[in-house]
Amino acid sequence: MDDLLREFLTETTESLSVLDSELVKLEQNPNDPGLLANIFRLVHTIKGTCGFLGLPRLEAVAHASENVLGKVRDGEMVITPTSISLILQALDRIKLLVGQLEATESEPAGEDSDLTSKLNALAEGRADEVAADEAPAEVKAAPVAPEPVVEAPKPAPAPAAKAAKPGKVQSLYERFGGESMVDATIDATFQSVATDAPLKALFEGIDLDLLQGHWRDAVVKALGNINRYKPADLSKLFAPAVARGFGQGQFKALLGHVEGALKMLEVQPDVAAEVQPLFAGIKDDLLAGDKAATKTAVVAKGEGAAGGAVEQAKESTVAGQSIRVHVDVLENLMTMVSELVLTRNQLLQILRSQQESEFAAPLQRLSQVTSELQEGVMKTRMQPIGNAWAKLPRIVRDLSVELHKKIDLQMHGAETELDRQVLELIRDPLTHMVRNSGDHGIEMPADRLAAGKPETGTINLNAYHEGGHIIIEIADDGRGLNVERIKAKALSSGLTTESELDAMPEQQIYQFIFKAGFSTAAQVTAVSGRGVGMDVVRTNIEKIGGTVELRSREGKGTTFVIKIPLTLAIVSALIVECAGERFAIPQMSVLELVRTSSNSEHTIEQINGAPVMRLRDRLLSLVSLRDLLKLSEGGESKQKKDENYIVVAQVGTFTFGIMVDRVFDTEEIVVKPVAPILRHIQMFSGNTILGDGSVIMILDPNGIATAASGERAQGDGIGDAAAANDRAYGDGEKVAILTFRAGDGGPKAVPLALIARLEEFEVEKIEAVGDRRVMQYRGKLMPLIPIEPGYQPLQSGRQPVLVFSDGDRSMGLLVDEIIDVVEERLQIELSASRPGVIGTAVISGKSTELVDAGHYLTLAFGDWFSRGTLTAEKKRQKRLLLVEDSSFFRHMITPVLSVAGYEVTAVDTAKKALDLCERGLDVDVIVSDIEMPEMNGYEFVSAVRGTARWGNLPVLALSSNTAPEHIERGRAAGFDDYVAKSDRDALLASLEQTMANEGDHA
Amino acid sequence: MSNVTTLSRGAAADGSVPTVSGIQNDVVSMTVAGQLFGIPVMAVQDVLGPQRITRVPLAPAEVAGSLNLRGRIVTAIDVRRRLRLGAREKDQQGMNVVVECDGELYSLIVDTVGEVLSLPTAAYERNPATLDQVWREVSCGIYRLKEGLLLMVDVQKLIGSAKAEAA
């Protein structure tokens, strides 16, 4: 490609992206002259260059846009959304043309009169016409257009230009090259003026764009073409220069530059001679103001001009201090520096093995210089993140027009710099997320008003550095994630089960939006909702070692937090050894290192062959690097290693441990891609050369996590359960738990509150009915359920049975041995992999499976839960609202209450309960926990007493704290009764009592 | 980072077809399990003695590992394994013949490397039809020499098909 064209393409593309955002800004501040001047200048430059390069289509579109902008600048027109839309359309057309130009190196055939005529209509004040058919003009991709349009159809006739046919005598205008040539000449003149210090000083503070424009118009007019030159107040404009002593002599010097420019542009000498005087025609206008304007000039200088002068001067110095360098050059430099760093490391390693060396000092110096060089080169690759944002204002604007929403995009920290490679990689995810926020997050203006929010929604983009990472936050103040919708969608797409969902903290439920094909948008819009998105976003971000987190509050908005490394080229890595091979693990994903051995605090335990480790009251899944990479060689695997190191790594929200044999130190490594022949191995993200010269593979924690968990869903569960930690399950409350042994595997547990009795029966009393076991118990037949299908009960002696009962029905769960009853804080660490188990928790220091009583109840009586409803019908169904932040208790109490004949609605916060009240939910009784985040039970009951709907309802407190003063406080706050959490019977009795009283009152 | 700026000496680096026009063709000779092989001298970047090779877990069988060649990471391919020949004797270390393929360096591990031979085009022949499938895949012809038959290796195919297998 021609250098000139390449240069033009680079420059135009840059200008276009600036224009996009500037125009959107202009729409918001239509009265900012600086903004307008900048836009005008950019469009003008594009037009000028197009003309110069002989690109008629581009020139025509740019010219028509410039016309409109010119009118605006001259105050003849006001900026309206319509005009901005139209100009944006024109920009899109220019982009399209530029794109094709880039691909084919020539302008595509076709014409743009559809667009230009609209723009011209707008410029001529026929805005109505434009508005009438504002529908986005389809681009006519090279329709039948036998002759490329030479000149743009201008409002004024330009017959000379159109008559550019051989044989005809060409006018001077044509011979000179038309308006674009005039433009080019003037541009070149001013460029050459810029090198002429004394003259340049005189021009300081003058709007050169305006001056150039007027000059061009004057010359074009003088060339006998278009009559649009307005004498205007050029003299006023030029007054500052005149005041500084711009006189005849200086004007001559200026003409000298014109001459130079004409020469430079290789204008035919005869044509140049003819044209030159025409350029001089502006003289009188320029100097006319001479003295008269001096005063104004001083005033102007005192105000805006001074600032403008400074700014312009600053701009030009900045321009002079930067050069354009091709990215390849920088990339190459970076590679070289990376190599240098490696060599340096190698040298240092050698040096360390030598006691005394005369190389020590110079090597230290070399090392330091290398580090500085590395830093310096790194800096050249740094780009402000604003570059990735440049398109966003435009996107948001289009989005708001398309969706009829009002969206305000706020951007902070656009100057935050990061490596361009990283920048490129996050550009698309960012765009997608902002689109999502606009489309899904922000509500319609009416809905917002109804929700008591300002009509205009805000999307806040914030970037900042934090310890070697860059953090990008995308926050909207929209409706927030709808947990129920996500749940429903997760269920319908088979990603999870209802019981799992119930046990999940919200944070974990949110994670579903990162699954492939997951979109809760009720309808697919053109913008988003196709479900190809957040999963790709997450994948892309994780690919570069970043993480995405999300916070959401229903009705308040959603915030995504992206954390990414500053650069990818050189990373710090932990060197580990496994089966005699060394591997590097990027330090970024390493949380901590743990040493395990049989006699230390940490030991590796097994659950069904899967290694786990207890780490600060949490269970950590372990991955054996040896097994994963199939490293074990014959005899080696036989000897059980006593000592292990665990590298605790985090990928997204999934935390896991990698078992390795040894851990060395950390080293700065340069990530090199692996050979194509090895690229399919997902365990490695690259390879590198260590200080000692050996090649080492770099492990990819993402790949390991995927391989380890097989399916990420499970992994998310572990990580999130841990993240949600105390909030979700424990809140520090102790629960009485019965532990027992039954079937294979370790100890099992069930909350004591669910068990009616513990019994031991003679084995002979157990009878078989069909394939079920039953026994006579208290004059009735009681079904006996094995813990798992293949479970063999004892053959002789006494069989321990856990009896679950409800009213007149009982069910027995066969177990081997009852171990103990303990009071423990329950934290479910691992989600269940099979029915009948809620999850795994650490109880009495042992990993214990928590049994899902509900599952066995269903096995015993298929209608256990539905029966509740039947009875309830008989006694007029009571509706009960359960407010309990611990999902464990919600899970446990809800079946108990359902069985007792209540229709239970369970929510996890007092806030949600009150929301339900507002939405008009009718209930008969409320049972609420006391200790809850945000709003506690006391506050809640006071709030309930204040509502019209629920004011007179019975409200029961449910708490683990039953000290008399608490009970007193509860009654004072408005609770009708106060029941201990673990006391199931007391709760039911109290409910019955309360309801009975209520009945009396009614 | 496509940082390939090394000795791209071999214009016909793939060495697929020996130059028929010339009378003499320069070939680096080598042996694998007693069989004589040849690679056009222009395709060979380096010949190295035994190297420290880092094993790459989970890699295709013929990939012996990676080695460091003056700061560049080179993937080593064991020609014996590639050609389904028996493993090398324990005390036999193997030589590395470094070649370039699609901008990446590969080291072919062979038993011994001989001298550079100038072979007359007249002695060149196509593969015999009876040649084993695996061998036919990687060979682009045979030279009849006094010492025996020399199999010309098509480097591109030798590595390329290994790549295809990996993918």
Side-chain angles (χ1 to χ4, degrees):
Chain A
M1 195 184 291
D2 176 7
D3 272 353
L4 207 59
L5 190 59
R6 195 198 308 275
E7 188 89 339
F8 163 74
L9 287 174
T10 327
E11 203 179 287
T12 309
T13 317
E14 261 171 37
S15 305
L16 285 172
S17 65
V18 176
L19 272 174
D20 260 349
S21 56
E22 294 280 279
L23 274 168
V24 176
K25 271 195 229 158
L26 183 69
E27 190 176 17
Q28 285 149 6
N29 318 301
N31 298 320
D32 186 337
L35 212 51
L36 194 55
N38 193 25
I39 291 170
F40 188 81
R41 188 175 53 81
L42 288 167
V43 175
H44 174 78
T45 313
I46 293 175
K47 186 195 82 171
T49 344
C50 295
F52 185 60
L53 289 173
L55 302 168
R57 274 189 75 181
L58 274 171
E59 189 192 354
V61 178
H63 178 83
S65 316
E66 189 194 350
N67 270 350
V68 174
L69 288 167
K71 294 269 180 193
V72 176
R73 189 190 55 178
D74 297 342
E76 289 173 26
M77 231 179 80
V78 244
I79 283 288
T80 61
T82 321
S83 52
I84 294 281
S85 288
L86 201 54
I87 294 171
L88 284 174
Q89 264 180 44
L91 287 187
D92 284 344
R93 183 71 57 90
I94 293 176
K95 273 182 214 161
L96 186 94
L97 292 174
V98 167
Q100 292 182 3
L101 187 61
E102 196 170 355
T104 63
E105 293 192 33
S106 68
E107 212 176 26
E111 51 112 36
D112 312 281
S113 58
D114 52 332
L115 200 55
T116 49
S117 61
K118 262 195 254 171
L119 285 163
N120 288 333
L122 190 67
E124 282 160 32
R126 291 180 278 122
D128 306 347
E129 270 176 44
V130 182
D133 58 354
E134 208 218 336
E138 288 301 315
V139 177
K140 287 179 192 153
V144 203
E147 303 168 68
V149 180
V150 175
E151 261 287 359
K154 292 202 189 80
K162 277 190 183 152
K165 283 189 185 128
K168 241 184 174 179
V169 178
Q170 292 188 331
S171 70
L172 177 62
Y173 182 78
E174 281 159 27
R175 275 184 292 145
F176 183 52
E179 184 176 336
S180 52
M181 200 61 196
V182 177
D183 233 1
T185 311
I186 293 174
D187 266 346
T189 305
F190 278 97
Q191 265 166 33
S192 115
V193 167
T195 61
D196 182 344
L199 203 56
K200 187 182 157 208
L202 290 176
F203 279 100
E204 244 168 49
I206 293 174
D207 185 346
L208 287 183
D209 295 324
L210 205 56
L211 179 64
Q212 284 187 28
H214 283 296
W215 199 1
R216 177 197 61 214
D217 289 352
V219 175
V220 170
K221 181 194 173 196
L223 279 166
N225 206 290
I226 300 155
N227 183 15
R228 61 171 177 193
Y229 172 55
K230 294 190 306 295
D233 31 17
L234 202 53
S235 53
K236 216 196 265 167
L237 174 81
F238 204 61
V242 175
R244 273 190 288 251
F246 190 98
Q248 302 282 353
Q250 283 72 24
F251 189 76
K252 225 176 231 157
L254 184 61
L255 282 184
H257 287 294
V258 173
E259 200 181 332
L262 288 170
K263 262 203 201 107
M264 199 191 81
L265 294 170
E266 292 170 1
V267 176
Q268 300 277 326
D270 57 323
V271 179
E274 267 183 86
V275 171
Q276 217 176 318
L278 301 180
F279 280 91
I282 198 173
K283 185 177 98 178
D284 291 344
D285 286 319
L286 281 187
L287 301 179
D290 208 337
K291 268 137 213 147
T294 318
K295 218 173 105 195
T296 350
V298 174
V299 176
K301 225 172 135 185
E303 292 163 8
V310 172
E311 208 154 288
Q312 238 174 24
K314 197 175 74 196
E315 238 174 52
S316 60
T317 45
V318 168
Q321 280 173 359
S322 61
I323 51 164
R324 235 179 254 278
V325 179
H326 202 276
V327 170
D328 282 352
V329 177
L330 289 182
E331 292 287 313
N332 238 335
L333 206 55
M334 187 68 208
T335 315
M336 290 301 168
V337 170
S338 305
E339 301 290 344
L340 187 61
V341 168
L342 287 181
T343 318
R344 188 259 324 254
N345 291 351
Q346 234 162 311
L347 282 173
L348 289 179
Q349 187 116 359
I350 296 169
L351 187 68
R352 258 178 246 142
S353 63
Q354 316 241 304
Q355 292 298 327
E356 295 260 321
S357 169
E358 52 187 317
F359 291 117
L363 267 180
Q364 281 306 327
R365 179 78 193 124
L366 176 73
S367 165
Q368 196 184 341
V369 172
T370 310
S371 301
E372 275 167 26
L373 185 64
Q374 179 190 337
E375 214 166 283
V377 172
M378 214 82 109
K379 244 181 225 159
T380 63
R381 290 161 49 102
M382 291 302 210
Q383 285 193 315
I385 193 165
N387 289 5
W389 290 356
K391 284 196 185 115
L392 295 179
R394 169 79 191 273
I395 288 167
V396 170
R397 184 210 176 257
D398 287 355
L399 203 60
S400 60
V401 170
E402 188 183 328
L403 300 172
H404 308 291
K405 291 178 181 177
K406 294 195 172 171
I407 309 174
D408 182 21
L409 179 70
Q410 303 262 0
M411 302 193 284
H412 304 281
E415 69 287 344
T416 315
E417 290 191 322
L418 75 169
D419 194 281
R420 59 168 291 281
Q421 195 188 353
V422 182
L423 190 83
E424 288 307 317
L425 288 168
I426 59 153
R427 192 189 295 269
D428 289 344
L430 263 184
T431 311
H432 184 86
M433 288 167 95
V434 169
R435 267 174 191 279
N436 253 348
S437 293
D439 192 18
H440 300 320
I442 306 283
E443 312 93 325
M444 298 302 287
D447 297 342
R448 289 186 63 89
L449 285 176
K453 295 198 235 184
E455 199 180 5
T456 306
T458 310
I459 299 177
N460 226 317
L461 219 58
N462 195 6
Y464 53 91
H465 285 294
E466 197 181 86
H469 291 101
I470 187 163
I471 314 278
I472 306 168
E473 292 175 355
I474 300 149
D476 66 62
D477 65 346
R479 58 172 77 97
L481 292 177
N482 186 328
V483 180
E484 293 310 318
R485 277 242 289 278
I486 297 176
K487 277 187 183 171
K489 176 78 186 184
L491 280 176
S492 70
S493 38
L495 288 169
T496 182
T497 65
E498 204 145 353
S499 61
E500 272 173 24
L501 267 184
D502 284 343
M504 276 185 201
E506 274 187 15
Q507 190 61 31
Q508 192 178 342
I509 292 169
Y510 292 154
Q511 299 298 325
F512 281 114
I513 68 165
F514 291 114
K515 297 272 175 223
F518 201 95
S519 177
T520 57
Q523 73 197 90
V524 174
T525 64
V527 184
S528 44
R530 288 175 302 263
V532 285
M534 291 315 284
D535 63 315
V536 179
V537 166
R538 171 141 117 182
T539 317
N540 280 357
I541 290 173
E542 284 180 358
K543 218 183 272 170
I544 55 174
T547 56
V548 200
E549 280 164 30
L550 96 99
R551 297 192 293 264
S552 178
R553 281 185 58 197
E554 195 143 10
K556 294 279 185 247
T558 310
T559 303
F560 288 92
V561 182
I562 304 176
K563 186 176 172 190
I564 40 178
L566 282 179
T567 181
L568 304 178
I570 297 185
V571 298
S572 168
L574 185 73
I575 313 294
V576 300
E577 189 186 85
C578 188
E581 305 280 340
R582 286 186 297 171
F583 299 96
I585 304 177
Q587 188 82 53
M588 207 179 126
S589 36
V590 176
L591 292 181
E592 61 182 311
L593 296 172
V594 181
R595 193 178 75 106
T596 64
S597 69
S598 52
N599 53 6
S600 81
E601 179 192 351
H602 298 286
T603 51
I604 297 173
E605 294 170 70
Q606 310 271 334
I607 301 180
N608 190 26
V612 293
M613 181 183 72
R614 265 177 252 159
L615 184 64
R616 288 187 291 276
D617 292 334
R618 279 181 38 206
L619 272 184
L620 188 73
S621 330
L622 299 181
V623 179
S624 163
L625 199 58
R626 190 184 300 263
D627 296 346
L628 208 57
L629 299 180
K630 305 196 171 68
L631 285 172
S632 28
E633 278 160 3
E636 207 183 342
S637 59
K638 281 182 207 141
Q639 73 176 70
K640 193 80 180 168
K641 272 183 58 73
D642 181 44
E643 198 183 68
N644 258 302
Y645 288 90
I646 311 290
V647 178
V648 183
Q650 187 175 22
V651 172
T653 51
F654 177 36
T655 311
F656 62 102
I658 305 172
M659 290 156 66
V660 299
D661 296 348
R662 285 176 74 189
V663 174
F664 300 98
D665 54 354
T666 57
E667 214 172 301
E668 292 260 287
I669 57 167
V670 179
V671 182
K672 294 167 179 249
V674 293
I677 191 169
L678 303 173
R679 230 157 256 172
H680 65 289
I681 310 173
Q682 54 168 348
M683 302 298 168
F684 305 120
S685 58
N687 49 15
T688 193
I689 297 172
L690 285 185
D692 64 1
S694 57
V695 177
I696 186 170
M697 303 303 292
I698 303 168
L699 294 172
D700 180 1
N702 275 314
I704 293 178
T706 315
S709 57
E711 215 259 305
R712 276 290 291 279
Q714 211 184 331
D716 286 342
I718 301 164
D720 292 327
N725 227 328
D726 295 22
R727 278 283 313 283
Y729 297 107
D731 32 43
E733 294 169 71
K734 292 200 167 175
V735 191
I737 301 162
L738 177 93
T739 58
F740 59 94
R741 251 178 237 292
D744 301 332
K748 296 182 171 53
V750 68
L752 194 59
L754 294 175
I755 299 173
R757 277 171 299 278
L758 301 176
E759 302 273 6
E760 278 191 0
F761 302 113
E762 297 293 334
V763 172
E764 295 79 42
K765 285 193 178 170
I766 299 177
E767 299 164 54
V769 176
D771 55 349
R772 305 178 79 177
R773 292 188 189 84
V774 295
M775 72 171 297
Q776 294 178 26
Y777 181 64
R778 298 193 175 185
K780 289 213 158 72
L781 271 187
M782 177 171 80
L784 296 176
I785 305 296
I787 194 88
E788 51 199 21
Y791 174 73
Q792 285 303 317
L794 301 181
Q795 296 304 314
S796 61
R798 296 172 72 83
Q799 168 79 48
V801 174
L802 311 182
V803 180
F804 297 81
S805 82
D806 160 51
D808 53 353
R809 299 176 79 165
S810 301
M811 169 218 122
L813 187 66
L814 300 172
V815 302
D816 292 344
E817 180 196 356
I818 290 163
I819 303 172
D820 201 358
V821 173
V822 289
E823 290 244 322
E824 281 265 3
R825 263 176 67 198
L826 260 193
Q827 268 194 50
I828 301 174
E829 297 285 3
L830 295 167
S831 46
S833 50
R834 55 192 174 85
V837 178
I838 292 171
T840 308
V842 179
I843 296 172
S844 312
K846 290 228 167 63
S847 318
T848 306
E849 279 185 325
L850 210 57
V851 167
D852 180 4
H855 171 76
Y856 294 105
L857 291 175
T858 329
L859 279 184
F861 311 100
D863 61 341
W864 185 293
F865 290 109
S866 51
R867 194 185 70 105
T869 337
L870 288 175
T871 358
E873 244 166 51
K874 261 182 265 157
K875 12 173 182 168
R876 189 177 85 77
Q877 190 158 359
K878 302 283 187 209
R879 287 153 304 184
L880 183 146
L881 176 69
L882 175 67
V883 188
E884 167 64 71
D885 64 313
S886 152
S887 69
F888 170 72
F889 269 104
R890 278 206 309 281
H891 202 77
M892 282 302 165
I893 293 175
T894 307
V896 170
L897 293 172
S898 304
V899 164
Y902 295 94
E903 183 193 324
V904 183
T905 309
V907 293
D908 59 352
T909 64
K911 181 87 183 18
K912 278 192 193 147
L914 291 172
D915 282 351
L916 286 177
C917 174
E918 268 173 50
R919 278 196 257 146
L921 179 81
D922 278 318
V923 293
D924 297 309
V925 61
I926 300 173
V927 176
S928 170
D929 187 18
I930 296 293
E931 291 86 14
M932 292 184 290
E934 288 177 49
M935 182 186 259
N936 67 29
Y938 302 124
E939 289 161 1
F940 171 63
V941 74
S942 312
V944 166
R945 290 293 172 231
T947 60
R949 186 179 293 277
W950 289 353
N952 296 318
L953 285 183
V955 184
L956 265 60
L958 193 63
S959 175
S960 44
N961 202 338
T962 44
E965 64 267 28
H966 283 103
I967 296 180
E968 198 39 54
R969 187 175 164 200
R971 291 208 196 277
F975 281 112
D976 292 276
D977 202 355
Y978 201 101
V979 190
K981 221 173 213 182
S982 47
D983 197 343
R984 184 179 91 123
D985 291 334
L987 172 63
L988 291 178
S990 168
L991 271 171
E992 203 147 308
Q993 181 70 36
T994 315
M995 298 309 285
N997 289 347
E998 205 54 27
D1000 291 345
H1001 294 311
Chain B
M1 275 185 287
S2 64
N3 51 346
V4 200
T5 52
T6 38
L7 341 105
S8 48
R9 283 188 290 146
D14 56 353
S16 49
V17 181
T19 25
V20 185
S21 56
I23 310 284
Q24 304 285 318
N25 300 299
D26 290 341
V27 169
V28 178
S29 68
M30 53 200 79
T31 60
V32 180
Q35 171 65 49
L36 206 53
F37 286 89
I39 294 179
V41 75
M42 294 306 278
V44 176
Q45 303 255 343
D46 248 304
V47 176
L48 308 168
Q51 295 286 310
R52 181 162 60 157
I53 291 175
T54 304
R55 219 156 44 105
V56 179
L58 309 177
E62 61 265 33
V63 175
S66 303
L67 58 95
N68 171 8
L69 173 66
R70 293 187 292 273
R72 283 196 62 178
I73 295 174
V74 177
T75 309
I77 294 187
D78 191 330
V79 179
R80 271 182 179 256
R81 279 190 235 163
R82 174 72 185 86
L83 296 179
R84 320 260 158 90
L85 295 167
R88 206 163 286 116
E89 308 275 313
K90 280 275 179 214
D91 53 339
Q92 205 180 358
Q93 285 255 275
M95 297 287 284
N96 290 273
V97 178
V98 181
V99 295
E100 191 177 323
C101 176
D102 296 333
E104 295 281 336
L105 291 183
Y106 293 88
S107 168
L108 306 179
I109 302 180
V110 298
D111 294 354
T112 61
V113 176
E115 47 202 306
V116 176
L117 306 172
S118 281
L119 304 177
T121 305
Y124 177 73
E125 255 179 62
R126 298 197 163 277
N127 288 329
T130 51
L131 198 65
D132 177 85
Q133 175 62 36
V134 182
W135 286 54
R136 203 175 334 156
E137 216 172 82
V138 301
S139 160
C140 53
I142 287 174
Y143 279 102
R144 286 172 277 110
L145 305 181
K146 277 204 296 286
E147 305 83 37
L149 298 174
L150 181 143
L151 215 73
M152 285 303 288
V153 174
D154 184 333
V155 174
Q156 189 87 33
K157 292 236 179 80
L158 185 84
I159 295 162
S161 50
K163 227 193 288 182
E165 259 171 58

